[in-house]
Amino acid sequence: CGLPVQQVKIRQSTSSKSYEFRPTASAFPLYEDLIAVNFNGEAGRLIDQAGFTRRPVRRRILLNMWDFNEVNPETAAMYRHFDEIWCPSEFVLQSMPKSCRTKVVPINIPLEDPANFAGITKSTMGIPEDFIFLSIFDGGRFAGRDNPLAVLNAYLQSFQTTAGTRLVMRIVNGTLSTRLISQMRYVAQGRPDVTFVEGASYQGEMIGLINAADCYVSMHRTTAFGINMARAALAGKPLIATGYSGNLAFMGDLGLKVEYSLQRVNEDDSYAPEHAQWAKA
């Protein structure tokens, strides 16, 4: 929309739970900080060490992509550092603690125009001309939240090798979930109609896969929004997805909502609040 933007890079250290922050408190010619960060225990250090709290004249906005139905006390305390908190779904809005005094703003997530990708086909994406069920799994987003093994098991139980269908599982950040991926490959042994695609990703490839596929599948336990599900919905692809959390913001009647029951997360996700729940499909 023509606004000036300056991106601040944060270096990540070799440890998966330890970060190195560069001071960024220099005099940028901008008036607002829009911060998009997973609000785990590192976010407080980001706010303090990267210099955001030392620029009182600048307005700080948090793009809140919190995945759980409640927040822990540390996260709630972090909200006070912001002038506005942007929430992409009713699910995220409902997770905000009643004690929060910061202005909360519901927003719409902008998506790419599917008309720009109309020419993408299975052949251009290098996948067979079968009926393609696509599922995208981010190994860095914690396996429990995306729940890709449930997608694989559901497909194997529903289709035979000769059905003319194929499950394509696109794995992002696979090195962060090697045990789960090994388990999935073991489960899929003897099924040539299951394809695992790993490696570095870029936005155009993800959108291309979604536009080439025939159906998008997500058996997630919880998500703040579900960007790839939203892209599939915008492209007119049928969805099979857990009927819970942020994807309800756009899913409507576009697909099949998988039934679920709520269960305590407990130790299955180290960043989940003590009493948080997620879906069990």
Side-chain angles (χ1 to χ4, degrees), residues 22 28 40 42 77 86 146 161 170 177 189 204 217 265:
R22 284 192 307 168
F28 293 155
N40 53 41
E42 307 299 331
W86 292 359
D146 280 351
T161 306
R170 179 62 173 97
S177 294
Q189 285 185 111
V217 187
V265 179

Side-chain angles (χ1 to χ4, degrees), residues 155-189:
Y155 176 82
L156 295 178
Q157 293 169 16
S158 301
F159 297 95
Q160 300 296 321
T161 306
T162 57
T165 61
R166 177 172 297 272
L167 174 63
V168 175
M169 305 203 74
R170 179 62 173 97
I171 302 169
V172 183
N173 295 319
T175 56
L176 301 179
S177 294
T178 54
R179 180 178 298 180
L180 173 63
I181 294 169
S182 297
Q183 182 183 3
M184 292 167 63
R185 289 187 177 277
Y186 178 81
V187 170
Q189 285 185 111

Side-chain angles (χ1 to χ4, degrees), residues 36-43 62-76 78-79 85-97 141-142 145 222-226 244-246 265 269-274 276-277:
V37 59
N38 285 333
F39 242 103
N40 53 41
E42 307 299 331
L62 170 68
L63 176 59
N64 188 5
M65 303 297 284
W66 185 250
D67 280 326
F68 295 105
N69 61 343
E70 63 174 54
V71 300
N72 53 40
E74 293 78 15
T75 298
M78 288 298 101
Y79 289 156
I85 299 175
W86 292 359
C87 298
S89 66
E90 182 66 22
F91 177 76
V92 177
L93 278 169
Q94 292 299 322
S95 75
M96 297 293 299
R141 213 185 77 84
F142 300 97
R145 301 182 200 179
T222 187
T223 184
F225 180 68
Y244 175 73
S245 64
V265 179
D269 192 305
S270 58
Y271 289 119
E274 181 181 359
Q277 296 177 304

Side-chain angles (χ1 to χ4, degrees), residues 101-281:
R101 297 293 178 259
T102 304
K103 181 181 179 181
V104 177
V105 181
I107 65 165
N108 294 320
I109 295 289
L111 298 173
E112 306 81 359
D113 186 347
N116 296 334
F117 307 92
I120 294 177
T121 64
K122 293 181 175 70
S123 60
T124 58
M125 293 305 299
I127 55 180
E129 294 294 331
D130 301 318
F131 186 97
I132 299 296
F133 293 96
L134 173 66
S135 188
I136 298 175
F137 157 53
D138 187 346
R141 213 185 77 84
F142 300 97
R145 301 182 200 179
D146 280 351
N147 200 18
L149 187 58
V151 174
L152 176 60
N153 285 328
Y155 176 82
L156 295 178
Q157 293 169 16
S158 301
F159 297 95
Q160 300 296 321
T161 306
T162 57
T165 61
R166 177 172 297 272
L167 174 63
V168 175
M169 305 203 74
R170 179 62 173 97
I171 302 169
V172 183
N173 295 319
T175 56
L176 301 179
S177 294
T178 54
R179 180 178 298 180
L180 173 63
I181 294 169
S182 297
Q183 182 183 3
M184 292 167 63
R185 289 187 177 277
Y186 178 81
V187 170
Q189 285 185 111
R191 291 299 298 260
D193 55 328
V194 177
T195 299
F196 296 97
V197 182
E198 296 188 63
S201 67
Y202 58 95
Q203 188 178 23
E205 182 220 3
M206 292 298 171
I207 300 171
L209 278 173
I210 290 168
N211 280 268
D214 298 290
C215 180
Y216 191 91
V217 187
S218 175
M219 301 286 282
H220 61 274
R221 291 189 174 100
T222 187
T223 184
F225 180 68
I227 186 71
N228 288 317
M229 284 183 279
R231 287 168 171 161
L234 186 62
K237 306 295 179 178
L239 295 175
I240 301 174
T242 309
Y244 175 73
S245 64
N247 55 302
L248 298 184
F250 55 82
M251 192 168 174
D253 297 325
L254 292 172
L256 173 66
K257 296 184 182 70
V258 179
E259 295 182 356
Y260 67 93
S261 59
L262 287 178
Q263 67 176 18
R264 289 276 294 273
V265 179
N266 297 322
E267 70 278 359
D268 294 328
D269 192 305
S270 58
Y271 289 119
E274 181 181 359
H275 301 291
Q277 296 177 304
W278 60 12
K280 179 182 179 181

